[in-house]
Amino acid sequence: MKDTINVNCPVAATLQLIGGKYKALLLWHLSGKILRFNELRRLVPEATPKMLTQQLRELEGDGLIARKVYAVVPPKVEYSLTPRGESLFPILQAMYAWGSKLLEGEGICPECSMKPVEAEHCC
């Protein structure tokens, strides 16, 4: 029997939107900011340009980010969160806090491009 995703499950619905490899990081970095593609590349260096483009398109398609293109040469494109995307920030903060405690419990200092709103350092 093939597994199917329960479309009425709130957790599955949330994961469908933010479950991509770099989506949570992109949403985190865009919170309260407007960033260009190369700025996002610097913040998420492990993402290839192709993967970054794919994740940004999916987030835009799901209404979580807005993409603004300026008619200039060279092209200028800016990304920002929509109100729907901003509403995910408390979830991302909770994921950061939970993951930090998990790592700290294993003796590992949390270290990534995501920085907590209230700086907590274990190291």
Side-chain angles (χ1 to χ4, degrees), residues 3-32:
D3 290 334
T4 58
I5 295 176
N6 181 349
V7 294
N8 295 327
C9 176
V11 174
T14 304
L15 287 175
Q16 184 70 29
L17 294 176
I18 67 169
K21 191 167 186 177
Y22 303 109
K23 288 181 180 180
L25 286 171
L26 294 170
L27 291 167
W28 180 278
H29 288 304
L30 285 169
S31 183

Side-chain angles (χ1 to χ4, degrees), residues 1 10 17-18 23-24 31-32 40 43 47 52 57 61 63 72 76 80-81 83 86 88-91 98 101-102 111:
M1 181 176 193
L17 294 176
I18 67 169
K23 288 181 180 180
S31 183
L40 289 167
L43 291 167
L52 187 60
R57 285 183 183 158
V72 295
K76 178 181 174 182
S80 61
L81 291 183
E86 284 286 353
L88 284 165
F89 198 67
I91 295 167
W98 188 89
K101 287 180 183 172
L102 174 72
E111 203 172 311

Side-chain angles (χ1 to χ4, degrees), residues 12-87:
T14 304
L15 287 175
Q16 184 70 29
L17 294 176
I18 67 169
K21 191 167 186 177
Y22 303 109
K23 288 181 180 180
L25 286 171
L26 294 170
L27 291 167
W28 180 278
H29 288 304
L30 285 169
S31 183
K33 297 180 191 133
I34 297 171
L35 297 172
R36 295 180 65 183
F37 185 83
N38 283 332
E39 292 173 304
L40 289 167
R41 273 192 72 196
R42 281 190 290 278
L43 291 167
V44 188
E46 58 275 14
T48 65
K50 180 181 176 184
M51 179 59 78
L52 187 60
T53 298
Q54 178 185 341
Q55 299 279 279
L56 288 167
R57 285 183 183 158
E58 289 176 14
L59 289 167
E60 182 184 12
D62 289 332
L64 299 176
I65 66 170
R67 180 177 180 263
K68 185 173 183 180
V69 181
Y70 294 88
V72 295
V73 177
K76 178 181 174 182
V77 180
E78 293 179 335
Y79 296 92
S80 61
L81 291 183
T82 63
R84 184 179 190 189
E86 284 286 353
S87 72

Side-chain angles (χ1 to χ4, degrees), residues 96 104 109-111 114-116 118-123:
Y96 184 95
E104 290 168 6
C109 184
E111 203 172 311
M114 295 172 73
K115 301 294 179 213
E118 297 171 9
E120 297 175 18
H121 298 286
C122 69
C123 304

